[in-house]
PDB file of all heavy atoms in Angstrom:
ATOM      1  N   MET A 298     -12.658 -30.247 -21.312  1.00 55.00           N
ATOM      2  CA  MET A 298     -11.343 -29.575 -21.051  1.00 55.00           C
ATOM      3  C   MET A 298     -11.542 -28.107 -20.665  1.00 55.00           C
ATOM      4  O   MET A 298     -10.951 -27.588 -19.730  1.00 55.00           O
ATOM      5  CB  MET A 298     -10.452 -29.751 -22.249  1.00 55.00           C
ATOM      6  CG  MET A 298      -9.007 -29.284 -22.020  1.00 55.00           C
ATOM      7  SD  MET A 298      -8.191 -30.324 -20.915  1.00 55.00           S
ATOM      8  CE  MET A 298      -6.532 -29.654 -21.001  1.00 55.00           C
ATOM      9  N   GLY A 299     -12.457 -27.472 -21.374  1.00 56.00           N
ATOM     10  CA  GLY A 299     -12.755 -26.054 -21.210  1.00 56.00           C
ATOM     11  C   GLY A 299     -13.318 -25.801 -19.767  1.00 56.00           C
ATOM     12  O   GLY A 299     -13.015 -24.858 -19.059  1.00 56.00           O
ATOM     13  N   MET A 300     -14.204 -26.762 -19.373  1.00 54.00           N
ATOM     14  CA  MET A 300     -14.756 -26.700 -18.037  1.00 54.00           C
ATOM     15  C   MET A 300     -13.714 -26.779 -16.906  1.00 54.00           C
ATOM     16  O   MET A 300     -13.716 -26.124 -15.919  1.00 54.00           O
ATOM     17  CB  MET A 300     -15.848 -27.736 -17.777  1.00 54.00           C
ATOM     18  CG  MET A 300     -16.636 -27.628 -16.552  1.00 54.00           C
ATOM     19  SD  MET A 300     -17.941 -28.897 -16.425  1.00 54.00           S
ATOM     20  CE  MET A 300     -19.038 -28.246 -17.783  1.00 54.00           C
ATOM     21  N   ILE A 301     -12.794 -27.671 -17.111  1.00 57.00           N
ATOM     22  CA  ILE A 301     -11.675 -27.888 -16.130  1.00 57.00           C
ATOM     23  C   ILE A 301     -10.897 -26.580 -16.015  1.00 57.00           C
ATOM     24  O   ILE A 301     -10.524 -26.173 -14.883  1.00 57.00           O
ATOM     25  CB  ILE A 301     -10.744 -29.064 -16.571  1.00 57.00           C
ATOM     26  CG1 ILE A 301     -11.625 -30.409 -16.522  1.00 57.00           C
ATOM     27  CG2 ILE A 301      -9.560 -29.087 -15.675  1.00 57.00           C
ATOM     28  CD1 ILE A 301     -10.833 -31.574 -17.008  1.00 57.00           C
ATOM     29  N   ASN A 302     -10.567 -26.002 -17.177  1.00 57.00           N
ATOM     30  CA  ASN A 302      -9.847 -24.772 -17.154  1.00 57.00           C
ATOM     31  C   ASN A 302     -10.530 -23.664 -16.413  1.00 57.00           C
ATOM     32  O   ASN A 302      -9.953 -22.826 -15.714  1.00 57.00           O
ATOM     33  CB  ASN A 302      -9.466 -24.311 -18.537  1.00 57.00           C
ATOM     34  CG  ASN A 302      -8.372 -25.199 -19.217  1.00 57.00           C
ATOM     35  OD1 ASN A 302      -7.656 -25.830 -18.472  1.00 57.00           O
ATOM     36  ND2 ASN A 302      -8.415 -25.258 -20.553  1.00 57.00           N
ATOM     37  N   GLU A 303     -11.874 -23.545 -16.602  1.00 60.00           N
ATOM     38  CA  GLU A 303     -12.672 -22.538 -15.936  1.00 60.00           C
ATOM     39  C   GLU A 303     -12.667 -22.792 -14.471  1.00 60.00           C
ATOM     40  O   GLU A 303     -12.568 -21.782 -13.712  1.00 60.00           O
ATOM     41  CB  GLU A 303     -14.101 -22.647 -16.481  1.00 60.00           C
ATOM     42  CG  GLU A 303     -14.291 -22.079 -17.974  1.00 60.00           C
ATOM     43  CD  GLU A 303     -15.713 -22.197 -18.419  1.00 60.00           C
ATOM     44  OE1 GLU A 303     -16.611 -22.521 -17.627  1.00 60.00           O
ATOM     45  OE2 GLU A 303     -15.956 -21.849 -19.625  1.00 60.00           O
ATOM     46  N   GLU A 304     -12.795 -24.017 -14.058  1.00 61.00           N
ATOM     47  CA  GLU A 304     -12.727 -24.312 -12.579  1.00 61.00           C
ATOM     48  C   GLU A 304     -11.381 -23.900 -12.022  1.00 61.00           C
ATOM     49  O   GLU A 304     -11.301 -23.371 -10.895  1.00 61.00           O
ATOM     50  CB  GLU A 304     -13.054 -25.776 -12.363  1.00 61.00           C
ATOM     51  CG  GLU A 304     -14.433 -26.225 -12.680  1.00 61.00           C
ATOM     52  CD  GLU A 304     -14.728 -27.730 -12.494  1.00 61.00           C
ATOM     53  OE1 GLU A 304     -13.750 -28.389 -12.169  1.00 61.00           O
ATOM     54  OE2 GLU A 304     -15.818 -28.150 -12.656  1.00 61.00           O
ATOM     55  N   ARG A 305     -10.329 -24.223 -12.846  1.00 62.00           N
ATOM     56  CA  ARG A 305      -9.013 -23.885 -12.282  1.00 62.00           C
ATOM     57  C   ARG A 305      -8.777 -22.351 -12.202  1.00 62.00           C
ATOM     58  O   ARG A 305      -8.281 -21.840 -11.183  1.00 62.00           O
ATOM     59  CB  ARG A 305      -7.917 -24.441 -13.279  1.00 62.00           C
ATOM     60  CG  ARG A 305      -6.533 -24.358 -12.844  1.00 62.00           C
ATOM     61  CD  ARG A 305      -5.587 -25.022 -13.821  1.00 62.00           C
ATOM     62  NE  ARG A 305      -5.863 -26.425 -14.056  1.00 62.00           N
ATOM     63  CZ  ARG A 305      -5.612 -27.101 -15.113  1.00 62.00           C
ATOM     64  NH1 ARG A 305      -4.987 -26.560 -16.058  1.00 62.00           N
ATOM     65  NH2 ARG A 305      -5.873 -28.400 -15.203  1.00 62.00           N
ATOM     66  N   ASP A 306      -9.336 -21.651 -13.221  1.00 63.00           N
ATOM     67  CA  ASP A 306      -9.269 -20.132 -13.169  1.00 63.00           C
ATOM     68  C   ASP A 306     -10.024 -19.596 -12.037  1.00 63.00           C
ATOM     69  O   ASP A 306      -9.592 -18.633 -11.389  1.00 63.00           O
ATOM     70  CB  ASP A 306      -9.789 -19.577 -14.470  1.00 63.00           C
ATOM     71  CG  ASP A 306      -8.830 -19.923 -15.622  1.00 63.00           C
ATOM     72  OD1 ASP A 306      -7.673 -20.255 -15.426  1.00 63.00           O
ATOM     73  OD2 ASP A 306      -9.305 -19.822 -16.830  1.00 63.00           O
ATOM     74  N   GLU A 307     -11.140 -20.138 -11.695  1.00 66.00           N
ATOM     75  CA  GLU A 307     -12.056 -19.745 -10.609  1.00 66.00           C
ATOM     76  C   GLU A 307     -11.343 -19.895  -9.317  1.00 66.00           C
ATOM     77  O   GLU A 307     -11.365 -19.025  -8.443  1.00 66.00           O
ATOM     78  CB  GLU A 307     -13.394 -20.418 -10.684  1.00 66.00           C
ATOM     79  CG  GLU A 307     -14.374 -20.016  -9.584  1.00 66.00           C
ATOM     80  CD  GLU A 307     -14.748 -18.586  -9.689  1.00 66.00           C
ATOM     81  OE1 GLU A 307     -14.745 -18.047 -10.850  1.00 66.00           O
ATOM     82  OE2 GLU A 307     -15.051 -17.940  -8.660  1.00 66.00           O
ATOM     83  N   LYS A 308     -10.676 -21.081  -9.133  1.00 64.00           N
ATOM     84  CA  LYS A 308     -10.003 -21.320  -7.855  1.00 64.00           C
ATOM     85  C   LYS A 308      -8.860 -20.393  -7.718  1.00 64.00           C
ATOM     86  O   LYS A 308      -8.564 -19.917  -6.600  1.00 64.00           O
ATOM     87  CB  LYS A 308      -9.471 -22.767  -7.892  1.00 64.00           C
ATOM     88  CG  LYS A 308     -10.600 -23.788  -7.672  1.00 64.00           C
ATOM     89  CD  LYS A 308     -10.013 -25.196  -7.679  1.00 64.00           C
ATOM     90  CE  LYS A 308     -11.093 -26.187  -7.483  1.00 64.00           C
ATOM     91  NZ  LYS A 308     -10.609 -27.599  -7.496  1.00 64.00           N
ATOM     92  N   GLN A 309      -8.128 -20.029  -8.846  1.00 61.00           N
ATOM     93  CA  GLN A 309      -7.016 -19.160  -8.780  1.00 61.00           C
ATOM     94  C   GLN A 309      -7.505 -17.719  -8.379  1.00 61.00           C
ATOM     95  O   GLN A 309      -6.895 -17.078  -7.587  1.00 61.00           O
ATOM     96  CB  GLN A 309      -6.352 -19.026 -10.124  1.00 61.00           C
ATOM     97  CG  GLN A 309      -5.115 -18.125 -10.180  1.00 61.00           C
ATOM     98  CD  GLN A 309      -4.036 -18.587  -9.161  1.00 61.00           C
ATOM     99  OE1 GLN A 309      -3.680 -19.764  -9.161  1.00 61.00           O
ATOM    100  NE2 GLN A 309      -3.502 -17.711  -8.335  1.00 61.00           N
ATOM    101  N   ARG A 310      -8.677 -17.267  -8.934  1.00 63.00           N
ATOM    102  CA  ARG A 310      -9.233 -15.977  -8.560  1.00 63.00           C
ATOM    103  C   ARG A 310      -9.603 -15.958  -7.097  1.00 63.00           C
ATOM    104  O   ARG A 310      -9.332 -14.940  -6.444  1.00 63.00           O
ATOM    105  CB  ARG A 310     -10.465 -15.715  -9.480  1.00 63.00           C
ATOM    106  CG  ARG A 310     -10.147 -15.201 -10.838  1.00 63.00           C
ATOM    107  CD  ARG A 310     -11.398 -14.608 -11.519  1.00 63.00           C
ATOM    108  NE  ARG A 310     -12.376 -15.668 -11.766  1.00 63.00           N
ATOM    109  CZ  ARG A 310     -12.400 -16.382 -12.916  1.00 63.00           C
ATOM    110  NH1 ARG A 310     -11.526 -16.152 -13.877  1.00 63.00           N
ATOM    111  NH2 ARG A 310     -13.375 -17.313 -13.091  1.00 63.00           N
TER     112      ARG A 310
END
Side-chain angles (χ1 to χ4, degrees):
M298 189 69 175
M300 186 175 294
I301 294 175
N302 288 335
E303 288 179 7
E304 290 178 357
R305 189 178 299 156
D306 292 342
E307 181 62 27
K308 289 181 179 179
Q309 184 60 48
R310 281 194 291 271

